[in-house]
CSV table of all heavy atoms in Angstrom, one decimal:
chain,number,residue,atom,x,y,z
J,26,ALA,N,2.2,25.9,-11.0
J,26,ALA,CA,3.1,27.1,-10.6
J,26,ALA,C,2.4,28.1,-9.8
J,26,ALA,O,1.1,28.3,-10.2
J,26,ALA,CB,3.8,27.6,-11.8
J,27,GLN,N,3.0,28.8,-9.1
J,27,GLN,CA,2.3,30.0,-8.4
J,27,GLN,C,2.8,31.2,-9.1
J,27,GLN,O,3.9,31.4,-9.4
J,27,GLN,CB,2.8,30.0,-7.0
J,27,GLN,CG,2.1,31.1,-6.1
J,27,GLN,CD,2.6,31.1,-4.7
J,27,GLN,OE1,3.8,30.8,-4.4
J,27,GLN,NE2,1.7,31.3,-3.7
J,28,ASN,N,1.8,32.1,-9.5
J,28,ASN,CA,2.1,33.2,-10.3
J,28,ASN,C,1.7,34.5,-9.5
J,28,ASN,O,1.3,35.4,-10.1
J,28,ASN,CB,1.3,33.2,-11.7
J,28,ASN,CG,-0.2,33.0,-11.4
J,28,ASN,OD1,-0.7,32.8,-10.3
J,28,ASN,ND2,-0.9,33.0,-12.6
J,29,LYS,N,1.9,34.5,-8.3
J,29,LYS,CA,1.5,35.8,-7.4
J,29,LYS,C,2.4,36.9,-7.7
J,29,LYS,O,3.6,36.8,-7.5
J,29,LYS,CB,1.6,35.3,-5.9
J,29,LYS,CG,1.1,36.4,-4.9
J,29,LYS,CD,1.0,35.8,-3.6
J,29,LYS,CE,0.5,36.8,-2.8
J,29,LYS,NZ,0.5,36.3,-1.2
J,30,GLY,N,1.8,38.0,-8.1
J,30,GLY,CA,2.5,39.1,-8.3
J,30,GLY,C,3.1,39.3,-9.7
J,30,GLY,O,3.8,40.3,-10.0
J,31,LEU,N,2.9,38.5,-10.6
J,31,LEU,CA,3.4,38.6,-12.0
J,31,LEU,C,2.7,39.7,-12.7
J,31,LEU,O,1.5,39.8,-12.6
J,31,LEU,CB,3.2,37.2,-12.8
J,31,LEU,CG,4.1,36.1,-12.5
J,31,LEU,CD1,3.8,34.9,-13.3
J,31,LEU,CD2,5.6,36.6,-12.7
J,32,THR,N,3.4,40.5,-13.5
J,32,THR,CA,2.8,41.5,-14.3
J,32,THR,C,2.1,40.9,-15.6
J,32,THR,O,2.4,39.8,-15.9
J,32,THR,CB,3.7,42.6,-14.7
J,32,THR,OG1,4.7,41.9,-15.5
J,32,THR,CG2,4.4,43.2,-13.5
J,33,VAL,N,1.2,41.7,-16.2
J,33,VAL,CA,0.6,41.2,-17.4
J,33,VAL,C,1.7,40.9,-18.5
J,33,VAL,O,1.6,40.0,-19.2
J,33,VAL,CB,-0.5,42.1,-17.9
J,33,VAL,CG1,-1.1,41.8,-19.2
J,33,VAL,CG2,-1.5,42.2,-16.8
J,34,ALA,N,2.7,41.8,-18.5
J,34,ALA,CA,3.7,41.6,-19.4
J,34,ALA,C,4.5,40.4,-19.2
J,34,ALA,O,4.9,39.7,-20.2
J,34,ALA,CB,4.7,42.9,-19.4
J,35,ALA,N,4.8,40.1,-18.0
J,35,ALA,CA,5.5,38.8,-17.6
J,35,ALA,C,4.7,37.6,-18.0
J,35,ALA,O,5.2,36.5,-18.5
J,35,ALA,CB,5.9,38.8,-16.2
J,36,VAL,N,3.5,37.6,-17.7
J,36,VAL,CA,2.5,36.5,-18.1
J,36,VAL,C,2.4,36.3,-19.6
J,36,VAL,O,2.5,35.2,-20.1
J,36,VAL,CB,1.2,36.7,-17.4
J,36,VAL,CG1,0.3,35.5,-17.9
J,36,VAL,CG2,1.2,36.6,-15.9
J,37,ASP,N,2.4,37.4,-20.3
J,37,ASP,CA,2.3,37.3,-21.8
J,37,ASP,C,3.6,36.8,-22.2
J,37,ASP,O,3.6,35.9,-23.2
J,37,ASP,CB,2.1,38.7,-22.4
J,37,ASP,CG,0.6,39.2,-22.2
J,37,ASP,OD1,-0.3,38.2,-21.9
J,37,ASP,OD2,0.3,40.4,-22.5
J,38,ASP,N,4.7,37.2,-21.7
J,38,ASP,CA,6.1,36.6,-22.1
J,38,ASP,C,6.1,35.1,-21.9
J,38,ASP,O,6.7,34.3,-22.8
J,38,ASP,CB,7.1,37.4,-21.4
J,38,ASP,CG,8.5,37.0,-21.8
J,38,ASP,OD1,8.8,36.8,-23.0
J,38,ASP,OD2,9.5,36.8,-21.0
J,39,LEU,N,5.6,34.7,-20.7
J,39,LEU,CA,5.7,33.3,-20.4
J,39,LEU,C,4.8,32.5,-21.3
J,39,LEU,O,5.1,31.5,-21.8
J,39,LEU,CB,5.2,33.1,-19.0
J,39,LEU,CG,5.1,31.7,-18.4
J,39,LEU,CD1,6.5,30.9,-18.6
J,39,LEU,CD2,4.7,31.6,-17.0
J,40,ARG,N,3.6,33.0,-21.5
J,40,ARG,CA,2.8,32.4,-22.5
J,40,ARG,C,3.3,32.3,-23.8
J,40,ARG,O,3.2,31.1,-24.6
J,40,ARG,CB,1.4,33.1,-22.6
J,40,ARG,CG,0.4,32.8,-21.5
J,40,ARG,CD,-1.0,33.3,-21.8
J,40,ARG,NE,-1.8,32.9,-20.7
J,40,ARG,CZ,-2.5,33.7,-19.9
J,40,ARG,NH1,-2.2,35.0,-20.0
J,40,ARG,NH2,-3.1,33.3,-18.9
J,41,ARG,N,4.0,33.2,-24.4
J,41,ARG,CA,4.6,33.2,-25.7
J,41,ARG,C,5.8,32.2,-25.6
J,41,ARG,O,5.9,31.4,-26.6
J,41,ARG,CB,5.2,34.6,-26.0
J,41,ARG,CG,5.7,34.9,-27.4
J,41,ARG,CD,6.1,36.3,-27.6
J,41,ARG,NE,5.2,37.3,-27.0
J,41,ARG,CZ,5.5,38.1,-26.0
J,41,ARG,NH1,6.6,38.0,-25.5
J,41,ARG,NH2,4.6,39.0,-25.5
Side-chain angles (χ1 to χ4, degrees):
Q27 187 177 36
N28 58 352
K29 186 176 186 177
L31 284 178
T32 64
V33 173
V36 171
D37 286 344
D38 183 41
L39 177 59
R40 280 195 174 111
R41 196 174 311 109

